[in-house]
Amino acid sequence: MARNREVVILLLDVGPSMHGVLLELVYNRSDEVGIVLFGTKGTCNELAKDIGGYKHVTVIHDIKVVDEGTAQALQNLPLGSAPGDFLDSIVVGLDMVIRKFGITKGKRRLCLITGAQELLRDPPEGTKEDQVDTIANMLKKHNIKMECIIFREPGVHHNDVMEENDRLLHQFRNRSVAKVVQVDNPTSLLGALKTRNVLPVTVFRGDLEVNSNFKIKVWVYKKTAEEKFPTLKKYSDKAPPNDKFASHEVKVDYEYKSVVEPDKVVPPDQRIKGYLYGPQVIPVSNAEWEAVKFKPEKGVKLLGFTDRSSVPRHQFMKDVCLFIPEPGNMKASLAVSAIARAMHQMNKVAIVRCVWRQGQGNVAIGVLTPNISSVNNIQDSFYFNVLPFAEDIREFQFRSFSSLPSSSQPTEEQQEAADNLVKMLDLAPPGREVLKPEFTPNPILERFYSYLDLKSKQPDANVPPLERSLRRITEPDPDVVGQQTQLIQNLSKAFVLKDNPKKKKARTQDMLAYTGAGDQAKSVEDRVLENTHPSTENVVAIRDSNPVQDFEAMLAKRSSSTWTQKAIGDMQNYIAALLQNSSDGGNYQKALECFASLRKACIIEQEPQEFNQFLTKIYERLKEGDAAKFFQLLSSKNISLINKEEAPDSDVTEEMARSFYLKREKASQ
């Protein structure tokens, strides 16, 4: 067996208690799969043939590489009519692995899915608990892990049989050979069924340095990881059609040639990376890069403690890691447990500096949150989350409704309707949790693999409709929507949508009034727009005829990333030219309109510094000359610096903006 190949034995309960969810199982790829059903009417397994017993357990798929037959077997599961014994199915699955692989090492896993509602048969010798211990010892001996998924629909009455079965399954967990979870709906069952078992690999092994004299040996594992979309490789059809061993891979090779001699290929040892610095290319060798690289020392250092409320959860970045004491180190276990429980009691978290590997180029600053265990055989630990640096935070600050006029503020009815809408969208209301992350499959990946399987069989097949199990994840829950019908109606009544008629410019309104109404007015307006602004797509500069419209057209064009800066720069140059060439204030009105348009654009484009620097420079340069009256006009129209309330990137307060012209005049006096 290949080293990275995994063997999975699916132990499926097909008894009467599981009939409603068998059709919800969705096929996913594994390396080698075997399928065992229990609760079937008949019996078919090797143990029953050799030694007898193990009734109502049927092997419908031997351990082999997944193929189309595996998918068909999962999609056409029979409905059993006999009570199922999950202990018998575990023994049969264990026997299948031992018969095929013996004592060889490898990744092996049993996945048990059952309702655990049927009475188990008494063993020939000893008790059921003794039988569980014997099976657990065999699982440990052959290094086989097991997952137990218990399906119980809401409202099912627990009886003595179910409690006994739960106790036996949790006994496997206490022996550290199985993971036991319970789900209450088919969607959670689909999410709990892990198709790929990832072996944990340590990110860090070393000391958690509390201070120079106090160090704790810890191991760090990844707790969560992003499930990335599979990379699709290019397929080559150049291989001979009769070649069964053709890989059909596309390989890309690059050649580097000299500019001086285009036909000469430059070997790798004669190449060096170059970086643009203005018009020049600066060569930087690998040795120079290594010399200036930041190389911190490997280690985890405690920086201090803080209240949990001072570290907001929405600032956590990347994947979550788990800090555990070094296995077998009792002193480390006691130290981690003591610190974790003290932090939990005082509602504190720890800030740490982490360098996972020697020579790592970056340093992670993160927070340790205590994880107090409630299970006897699991130690206390810490969860680690990476915190952002100042430049990583992108917060959008919105103005408060209290700063708006009373006519624009929401009424009590509107506020209540909005609050109720937010409460309705809560996925974790008191007493229940919808779409638990650990039990919710990724609908995009499920959809992708299902369609990929269909396309392999039917190349011309269209995208099928969404499956029922995935619709429950991606679409609103009809039960929730039905219960909140009155709330949604109240929301629509509280917020009435109205048309916002566009205000026409003064020149257009005057011309409409002069020429009259109707089609005649419309034709005159169209003629004026055609003459003054023939095409916004062809505007590349600000013209004297209508500078504001040209400026807005340049902003809307956005043919490149630098187009906005070009439009703002051209408008600044145009305003400066207007003020310098103005005689007796003839250009003041046009300059005022351009200033207002430039200020509005800089707020929308989040460029407050551009406007503030321009206004400051031009005011300092022209305030003593003939343009002093123009700045008085700007002040009367409240056209001043852009403050923080208008654009978060500005470093100007409202008070500074209001007193801009006044302070400048006092300073000059």
Side-chain angles (χ1 to χ4, degrees):
M1 186 179 68
R3 183 175 181 181
N4 294 325
R5 182 167 294 176
E6 183 183 18
V7 176
V8 180
I9 307 296
L10 296 177
L11 311 175
L12 306 180
D13 186 352
V14 295
S17 63
M18 296 290 289
H19 287 179
V21 295
L22 291 179
L23 298 179
E24 299 292 339
L25 292 176
V26 177
Y27 159 68
N28 285 279
R29 184 189 66 81
S30 280
D31 291 324
E32 291 191 50
V33 170
I35 304 175
V36 178
L37 307 182
F38 59 99
T40 57
K41 184 177 181 180
T43 301
C44 182
N45 61 79
E46 294 297 327
L47 285 177
K49 296 176 183 177
D50 294 346
I51 62 177
Y54 301 97
K55 295 182 178 180
H56 308 299
V57 179
T58 303
V59 178
I60 65 169
H61 190 276
D62 290 326
I63 301 174
K64 61 181 181 179
V65 176
V66 170
D67 55 10
E68 188 175 348
T70 310
Q72 292 178 354
L74 286 172
Q75 292 170 357
N76 301 297
L77 294 175
L79 300 181
S81 57
D85 190 317
F86 60 79
L87 290 181
D88 283 351
S89 70
I90 295 174
V91 175
V92 170
L94 180 60
D95 177 69
M96 290 174 63
V97 176
I98 296 174
R99 284 175 184 265
K100 182 163 186 177
F101 301 108
I103 59 174
T104 58
K105 294 183 179 180
K107 300 178 183 178
R108 288 120 191 206
R109 181 163 54 103
L110 303 182
C111 184
L112 172 67
I113 302 176
T114 178
Q117 300 183 26
E118 306 294 343
L119 180 64
L120 305 183
R121 65 175 180 82
D122 293 324
E125 297 180 1
T127 63
K128 297 175 184 177
E129 287 77 7
D130 296 335
Q131 186 180 10
V132 170
D133 288 336
T134 303
I135 297 173
N137 291 333
M138 292 296 294
L139 291 172
K140 278 188 177 182
K141 179 180 178 181
H142 294 276
N143 196 25
I144 300 175
K145 300 296 181 181
M146 186 169 67
E147 293 177 83
C148 302
I149 304 174
I150 306 173
F151 177 78
R152 298 270 174 77
E153 290 183 325
V156 174
H157 177 68
H158 280 243
N159 51 35
D160 295 339
V161 173
M162 295 166 63
E163 291 181 359
E164 181 188 32
N165 292 340
D166 290 350
R167 186 176 66 255
L168 294 175
L169 289 174
H170 282 81
Q171 187 175 339
F172 282 110
R173 187 189 67 180
N174 297 335
R175 292 293 306 274
S176 302
V177 296
K179 176 184 176 182
V180 181
V181 297
Q182 183 170 332
V183 297
D184 58 3
N185 60 75
T187 303
S188 298
L189 174 61
L190 179 61
L193 180 59
K194 305 300 180 184
T195 59
R196 184 168 60 97
N197 187 24
V198 181
L199 290 178
V201 179
T202 54
V203 178
F204 172 83
R205 294 187 185 187
D207 295 331
L208 170 58
E209 186 176 338
V210 180
N211 57 44
S212 57
N213 299 321
F214 183 19
K215 299 179 182 180
I216 307 172
K217 294 289 184 182
V218 295
W219 285 14
V220 181
Y221 290 92
K222 272 198 172 184
K223 176 67 174 175
T224 62
E226 179 185 358
E227 187 71 33
K228 296 183 179 179
F229 203 77
T231 55
L232 302 180
K233 298 180 180 179
K234 293 183 178 180
Y235 178 87
S236 174
D237 58 354
K238 300 298 183 182
N242 298 328
D243 188 358
K244 298 181 179 179
F245 301 99
S247 61
H248 297 281
E249 293 182 2
V250 177
K251 294 184 178 180
V252 180
D253 293 329
Y254 294 93
E255 287 186 348
Y256 295 84
K257 297 185 177 181
S258 172
V259 178
V260 180
E261 301 179 26
D263 297 333
K264 181 180 178 182
V265 178
V266 181
D269 58 342
Q270 297 180 13
R271 302 175 199 160
I272 188 172
K273 290 184 178 181
Y275 299 88
L276 286 174
Y277 184 76
Q280 299 179 345
V281 178
I282 309 299
V284 181
S285 65
N286 292 335
E288 291 171 331
W289 269 122
E290 288 296 324
V292 299
K293 258 185 183 178
F294 175 62
K295 299 177 181 178
E297 291 292 328
K298 173 184 175 182
V300 178
K301 295 184 179 181
L302 176 69
L303 301 181
F305 297 94
T306 184
D307 292 332
R308 182 176 296 197
S309 59
S310 62
V311 184
R313 186 182 181 86
H314 65 268
Q315 290 186 355
F316 292 171
M317 302 174 64
K318 299 184 179 180
D319 302 324
V320 184
C321 291
L322 183 67
F323 275 65
I324 65 171
E326 183 182 49
N329 190 332
M330 184 57 66
K331 292 183 178 180
S333 300
L334 292 175
V336 168
S337 180
I339 296 176
R341 290 178 182 271
M343 290 169 58
H344 180 73
Q345 184 178 0
M346 301 173 67
N347 201 26
K348 298 284 186 180
V349 294
I351 308 298
V352 293
R353 174 187 184 272
C354 302
V355 180
W356 306 124
R357 298 180 303 276
Q358 186 67 32
Q360 179 177 315
N362 60 323
V363 175
I365 302 296
V367 57
L368 290 182
T369 306
N371 175 36
I372 307 303
S373 173
S374 58
V375 182
N376 294 331
N377 61 341
I378 298 180
Q379 299 171 328
D380 296 334
S381 56
F382 294 105
Y383 287 134
F384 172 80
N385 292 91
V386 178
L387 293 178
F389 292 96
E391 57 268 21
D392 295 327
I393 299 177
R394 298 290 186 271
E395 291 187 350
F396 294 95
Q397 299 180 2
F398 301 97
R399 295 180 63 184
S400 173
F401 283 124
S402 60
S403 61
L404 300 177
S406 57
S407 59
S408 301
Q409 294 186 13
T411 63
E412 293 184 2
E413 180 186 3
Q414 291 175 330
Q415 186 66 52
E416 183 181 1
D419 292 342
N420 291 334
L421 175 66
V422 174
K423 293 177 182 177
M424 185 191 78
L425 300 177
D426 186 7
L427 291 177
R432 60 189 292 263
E433 183 177 1
V434 184
L435 299 180
K436 295 181 179 180
E438 63 271 25
F439 298 143
T440 303
N442 188 325
I444 298 178
L445 291 176
E446 296 287 339
R447 179 79 158 154
F448 171 79
Y449 285 121
S450 297
Y451 186 49
L452 188 64
D453 178 61
L454 177 62
K455 289 288 284 186
S456 65
K457 303 171 185 175
Q458 305 175 22
D460 299 331
N462 296 323
V463 180
L466 206 62
E467 297 175 356
R468 183 172 57 179
S469 57
L470 299 183
R471 282 205 308 269
R472 282 198 291 266
I473 303 173
T474 56
E475 297 178 357
D477 189 342
D479 295 335
V480 175
V481 175
Q483 295 172 2
Q484 305 295 340
T485 303
Q486 186 62 39
L487 187 150
I488 298 174
Q489 292 177 353
N490 293 339
L491 181 70
S492 61
K493 293 177 182 178
F495 294 91
V496 181
L497 300 179
K498 298 180 181 179
D499 292 334
N500 184 16
K502 296 181 180 179
K503 295 182 179 180
K504 303 186 185 304
K505 295 192 177 294
R507 287 185 60 191
T508 306
Q509 288 180 348
D510 294 343
M511 191 166 292
L512 290 176
Y514 174 76
T515 56
D519 296 336
Q520 184 181 5
K522 183 178 180 181
S523 62
V524 172
E525 182 186 10
D526 292 340
R527 261 199 321 275
V528 171
L529 292 177
E530 288 175 2
N531 294 333
T532 59
H533 204 71
S535 176
T536 58
E537 295 180 358
N538 300 325
V539 175
V540 294
I542 295 176
R543 297 167 291 187
D544 239 359
S545 57
N546 205 327
V548 173
Q549 284 193 11
D550 290 341
F551 176 58
E552 293 174 352
M554 291 175 68
L555 288 175
K557 190 173 183 180
R558 297 183 185 275
S559 59
S560 69
S561 59
T562 60
W563 198 254
T564 300
Q565 292 295 331
K566 182 183 186 308
I568 293 176
D570 288 358
M571 178 57 86
Q572 291 176 352
N573 296 334
Y574 181 78
I575 293 174
L578 277 180
L579 295 179
Q580 290 173 353
N581 301 327
S582 177
S583 58
D584 299 331
N587 293 335
Y588 285 178
Q589 186 60 35
K590 182 181 287 189
L592 177 66
E593 294 176 0
C594 293
F595 244 112
S597 179
L598 176 63
R599 189 178 191 277
K600 178 181 177 182
C602 287
I603 293 175
I604 295 174
E605 300 295 338
Q606 292 295 311
E607 297 287 352
Q609 299 295 341
E610 289 282 341
F611 179 84
N612 292 344
Q613 292 175 5
F614 171 68
L615 176 58
T616 303
K617 289 180 180 179
I618 199 169
Y619 180 68
E620 291 292 339
R621 192 173 65 194
L622 302 177
K623 66 180 180 180
E624 303 295 341
D626 296 336
K629 294 182 179 179
F630 172 73
F631 294 108
Q632 294 177 2
L633 179 63
L634 282 184
S635 178
S636 65
K637 298 295 183 181
N638 293 325
I639 298 178
S640 183
L641 301 176
I642 299 175
N643 58 58
K644 291 182 179 179
E645 293 295 324
E646 297 171 300
D649 292 340
S650 174
D651 55 1
V652 177
T653 63
E654 288 188 72
E655 181 61 28
M656 293 168 62
R658 281 196 299 267
S659 59
F660 172 72
Y661 298 105
L662 181 61
K663 285 186 177 181
R664 299 282 172 173
E665 290 177 4
K666 287 183 177 180
S668 63
Q669 292 174 4

